Amino acid sequence: MSIEDLDAEELRTRLLEAESNLHAIYSGEIDALLLADENGERRVFTLRSADAPYRALVERMQEGAATLSVTGDIVYCNQRFADLVSVPLEQVIGASIGRFLPSAEGEILRAMLEHGSGRYQTRLVLNGQESTEVQVTLSSIVLDDVEHRTLILSDISSLARAQRENRSKDEFLAMLAHELRNPLGAIQGAVHALGLMNQTEPMSLRATGIIKRQVIHMARLVDDLLDVGRAVTGKIVLKRQPVNLADAVKSTIATISSGNPNNHARVDLVSEPVWVSGDPVRLEQIVGNLVSNALKFTRGDGVISVFVGREGDDAVLRIADQGIGIPADMLPKIFDLFVQAHHTIDRTRGGLGIGLTLVRRLAELHGGGVHAASEGDGRGSTFTVRLPSVAAPKVERDAASKANGSSTRPFESRRVLLVDDNHDSREMYRAVLRAHGHEVCEAPDGERALALLQQRAADSPLDVAFIDIGLPGGMDGYELARRIRKLPACSALHLVALTGYGFPEDRQQSKLAGFARHLVKPVEPDALQQELSAVSRRSH
Amino acid sequence: MNETCLQTLADLEDSQQFVLRLYVTGMTPRSTRAISAVRKLCDELLAGRYDLQVIDVYQQPALIRDEQIFATPTLVKKGPEPERRMIGDMSNRERLMAGLGLRAEVVA
């Protein structure tokens, strides 16, 4: 519509509008003018009112800011910059940036100015003394068609202090763990020695059992404490070898279950052999922490489902409990150090909040990871560990094919006799051996062991006997071995001595008595299993 | 005669969409006042049938290339026809209504 076509009323309105707008401009009601330059491009010319907020922001921000020429001359800086370098503002502008930063890093600064970007950390030097730790960040900017540099000085002294304090905390934890280990080792040795003595008082037997269990528990806590520091700072080195994850899980569960006589939660294990390249000790730590957690948070009648097997190229361990679960907001944090999902006032469940951090770091060191899932409070939790799987070692494949079909039980079943007066010890060994599919019978002393052997000789002869040296009732382990060797029906029985002492003369004595092997307590479940796989099964 | 040109709120059909562009320069007190005044008026009188965009001429210079914007803040009513523009302080409600082509008496 051209101006001629407008009626008088519209013309009047437009005139009023123009008049009103001009009046607003005259009255200074505006922040900026937009004017065309020689190329017809409109440029923004701000008035003081528009600049003031930016200026206030820049002058008052916590970072020192400066605009530099490409050669490093300061053309502008904010008040904070002058404060940080402790030079009056009027002496900063026009000076070279090199004057305010340590000359030691002059080369870095020059390279950054030339390159147009970069970042480094340094300490400002004030009155000849090093003071504030700062981060220097440089970037490029074009002002009125001329290339400039912007430099930001960030005070990082508080951050650096926090990092230092965090490091000292880690060091303190590591030292504490070391210091705790020594007395624990002594207690462990002493309690073993107690176990070897002829204790008949039920009270002292029970007390010994309690000390033994609690010391093992404490030793594990201390190990975790020590390891979590090392794991977080990257100091753990894996001693890798091919490990059947299913076997590692089975033996760890057996050990834990026997160490928790008060917890009757059932552990349902579904497993298939799957091999990983891993450190057996560390894998046991992963499994141990997850299973202990599941037990800790499950009521006595609950069920813990454990699955080990292959999913794609991964070896997968999945542990699901029916416990108190994890609230959704805790799930992302649950693997952080010292974080616990449930801080109960009575702290009935205890723990330091380091186990899961350790699990995650160890899984990552193995090239895998761990994932937590939960439907929420009271609905249980599921932890899934994924590790890269490797091919089964050749020997193992042969053994597995020979066992034709019994793939979940890579070793042949043996008939085992356990002779030990310590109920807890027997229970532990029994759990481990049964978990590996062996048949176990037990005797608390020499007399009953001999009776059992003769009774079984006719129809189902035993393959191996593990005999504790310190037996009660006048017949110690050596004597028992000598008598067994005289029984014609037991000539092929493989005898293994279990003792707290590993001195050469002890080994010599057990050899003379007729033992084929001499193991020093505490015997690792793996060692027990190796011992059995070395023994051929007798014809039944 | 004046009445015929200004639209009364009663005349507005539901389908009539107010398309508004507010051009500002950064976070000045004037910008802040303009934005809140325009939004308040629109929410009171044009609820559900206005489209207001706030454009910072510094951050989005491409959006003023084809617009006759000489100063900020400027409010442009692009629709319904006829187009109206208003420069300056927007905290005066009467002036703002006139700038949008809305008749004050009807609301009062």
Side-chain angles (χ1 to χ4, degrees):
Chain A
M1 222 193 288
S2 73
I3 200 151
E4 288 83 10
D5 301 328
L6 297 175
D7 62 24
E9 185 53 41
E10 178 62 15
L11 279 173
R12 205 175 96 88
T13 308
R14 290 198 179 186
L15 198 60
L16 281 173
E17 183 185 281
E19 196 179 36
S20 162
N21 285 341
L22 270 177
H23 179 77
I25 295 173
Y26 284 141
S27 319
E29 284 179 25
I30 55 170
D31 294 322
L33 284 170
L34 289 81
L35 305 174
D37 64 9
E38 58 270 28
N39 303 320
E41 282 292 309
R42 248 152 345 126
R43 302 177 74 154
V44 181
F45 291 86
T46 52
L47 307 176
R48 196 191 159 277
S49 62
D51 280 343
Y54 293 103
R55 200 161 265 281
L57 186 72
V58 172
E59 294 298 333
R60 284 174 205 168
M61 68 186 195
Q62 279 305 297
E63 278 78 27
T67 307
L68 318 173
S69 69
V70 289
T71 54
D73 293 328
I74 298 172
V75 294
Y76 162 80
C77 82
N78 64 358
Q79 183 61 52
R80 176 77 175 139
F81 183 94
D83 292 346
L84 273 173
V85 298
S86 291
V87 174
L89 197 54
E90 61 272 19
Q91 291 177 31
V92 176
I93 295 173
S96 169
I97 183 68
R99 207 188 116 188
F100 306 107
L101 294 170
S103 51
E105 286 110 6
E107 208 42 60
I108 301 174
L109 186 64
R110 263 191 295 281
M112 269 165 49
L113 280 167
E114 185 153 331
H115 184 245
S117 70
R119 173 177 296 181
Y120 72 101
Q121 291 184 5
T122 185
R123 272 173 179 277
L124 294 176
V125 181
L126 301 181
N127 309 320
Q129 286 192 317
E130 285 198 347
S131 66
T132 323
E133 279 183 88
V134 290
Q135 175 162 279
V136 182
T137 309
L138 196 98
S139 53
S140 287
I141 186 176
V142 175
L143 296 171
D144 286 329
D145 299 330
V146 180
E147 201 176 336
H148 284 75
R149 306 281 182 251
T150 54
L151 183 138
I152 303 288
L153 272 190
S154 317
D155 183 348
I156 54 164
S157 45
S158 53
L159 180 72
R161 196 179 324 118
Q163 283 170 342
R164 268 197 305 278
E165 280 166 5
N166 193 42
R167 254 198 312 278
S168 354
K169 182 207 68 196
D170 286 345
E171 282 160 11
F172 172 75
L173 282 181
M175 194 183 68
L176 179 71
H178 268 300
E179 290 299 317
L180 287 174
R181 250 190 186 179
N182 289 333
L184 274 179
I187 298 173
Q188 240 168 342
V191 83
H192 272 302
L194 275 180
L196 295 175
M197 285 163 55
N198 283 345
Q199 293 185 81
T200 45
E201 274 289 309
M203 189 58 211
S204 79
L205 280 172
R206 255 174 61 204
T208 310
I210 289 168
I211 299 173
K212 211 178 250 179
R213 281 193 296 274
Q214 295 305 319
V215 162
I216 289 171
H217 182 64
M218 257 181 91
R220 276 197 43 200
L221 279 178
V222 169
D223 280 350
D224 281 359
L225 196 61
L226 192 62
D227 284 341
V228 80
R230 288 203 297 237
V232 168
T233 53
K235 281 185 195 137
I236 285 187
V237 179
L238 297 181
K239 297 188 194 87
R240 284 177 186 253
Q241 65 185 69
V243 178
N244 185 344
L245 190 61
D247 286 348
V249 170
K250 272 184 227 166
S251 71
T252 309
I253 289 175
T255 313
I256 289 173
S257 306
S258 67
N260 278 290
N262 302 325
N263 196 318
H264 302 291
R266 205 171 81 231
V267 179
D268 274 357
L269 174 65
V270 176
S271 71
E272 58 181 24
V274 58
W275 290 77
V276 296
S277 167
D279 184 329
V281 177
R282 301 308 180 184
L283 291 174
E284 192 190 323
Q285 254 175 321
I286 294 177
V287 182
N289 265 300
L290 292 177
V291 173
S292 302
N293 264 359
L295 280 169
K296 194 155 54 173
F297 294 114
T298 301
R299 271 191 301 276
D301 54 347
V303 178
I304 294 157
S305 313
V306 180
F307 165 80
V308 196
R310 181 189 285 273
E311 282 180 13
D313 288 337
D314 292 336
V316 171
L317 163 66
R318 190 170 290 119
I319 296 174
D321 64 52
Q322 300 170 330
I324 56 176
I326 304 166
D329 60 326
M330 284 303 301
L331 272 178
K333 292 183 269 183
I334 197 77
F335 292 103
D336 292 349
L337 195 53
F338 306 127
V339 167
Q340 289 181 309
H342 297 269
H343 279 287
T344 50
I345 292 166
D346 58 357
R347 288 194 51 82
T348 44
R349 272 130 184 162
L352 298 173
I354 56 178
L356 287 178
T357 308
L358 190 60
V359 166
R360 180 177 60 183
R361 281 299 296 148
L362 291 177
E364 286 169 357
L365 283 173
H366 279 89
V370 58
H371 174 79
S374 175
E375 301 269 311
D377 259 332
R379 322 237 338 235
S381 318
T382 302
F383 286 85
T384 307
V385 177
R386 280 176 191 281
L387 304 172
S389 67
V390 297
K394 203 171 173 305
V395 183
E396 177 62 27
R397 268 205 300 272
D398 291 350
S401 59
K402 256 186 238 162
N404 59 50
S406 62
S407 58
T408 52
R409 203 177 288 166
F411 300 102
E412 280 182 66
S413 165
R414 310 261 183 263
R415 292 178 184 146
V416 182
L417 170 65
L418 278 176
V419 190
D420 195 326
D421 59 313
N422 187 305
H423 179 260
D424 276 352
S425 293
R426 281 209 315 271
E427 199 169 277
M428 194 185 93
Y429 293 129
R430 181 174 63 226
V432 173
L433 292 168
R434 290 219 170 124
H436 283 94
H438 302 295
E439 186 192 329
V440 182
C441 55
E442 301 163 39
D445 54 47
E447 294 293 347
R448 273 180 272 189
L450 284 172
L452 202 73
L453 280 168
Q454 282 166 323
Q455 179 195 325
R456 293 284 302 258
D459 49 336
S460 53
L462 298 162
D463 301 307
V464 183
F466 289 100
I467 299 171
D468 185 51
I469 295 301
L471 289 175
M475 193 198 304
D476 68 5
Y478 298 127
E479 181 57 28
L480 176 58
R482 277 190 284 272
R483 295 217 198 161
I484 291 173
R485 280 287 157 259
K486 285 178 191 150
L487 295 172
C490 297
S491 56
L493 184 64
H494 186 78
L495 296 182
V496 181
L498 298 176
T499 115
Y501 305 104
F503 298 117
E505 54 267 37
D506 298 316
R507 293 182 184 279
Q508 186 60 31
Q509 203 180 342
S510 63
K511 201 173 173 186
L512 285 174
F515 284 106
R517 296 273 293 151
H518 181 108
L519 299 179
V520 180
K521 286 181 176 180
V523 181
E524 294 280 324
D526 279 353
L528 215 56
Q529 178 57 37
Q530 267 168 24
E531 202 55 45
L532 286 169
S533 58
V535 183
S536 62
R537 188 167 188 178
R538 300 171 70 191
S539 51
H540 296 288
Chain B
M1 199 54 190
N2 196 5
E3 275 75 32
T4 58
C5 209
L6 290 175
Q7 284 166 298
T8 64
L9 287 173
D11 293 337
L12 293 173
E13 291 167 30
D14 283 350
S15 59
Q16 260 185 329
Q17 186 80 5
F18 271 66
V19 181
L20 305 174
R21 299 286 177 268
L22 177 58
Y23 297 88
V24 297
T25 311
M27 46 178 171
T28 72
R30 221 188 307 277
S31 305
T32 317
R33 275 205 307 275
I35 295 166
S36 66
V38 171
R39 212 172 267 294
K40 184 163 179 282
L41 190 81
C42 289
D43 283 338
E44 281 173 22
L45 305 181
L46 305 169
R49 48 166 197 252
Y50 75 91
D51 160 36
L52 171 67
Q53 286 181 17
V54 181
I55 294 146
D56 187 318
V57 296
Y58 250 144
Q59 292 180 320
Q60 296 170 290
L63 294 182
I64 56 163
R65 198 157 293 147
D66 304 319
E67 295 285 342
Q68 295 290 305
I69 307 296
F70 306 106
T72 59
T74 293
L75 176 67
V76 180
K77 183 193 78 164
K78 298 186 79 71
E81 293 272 345
E83 189 172 293
R84 293 278 179 259
R85 63 193 52 231
M86 175 189 168
I87 299 173
D89 192 358
M90 317 233 161
S91 54
N92 183 327
R93 188 183 170 94
E94 215 161 297
R95 191 175 164 238
L96 182 59
M97 285 187 68
L100 285 173
L102 294 170
R103 198 173 59 176
E105 307 90 87
V106 180
V107 221

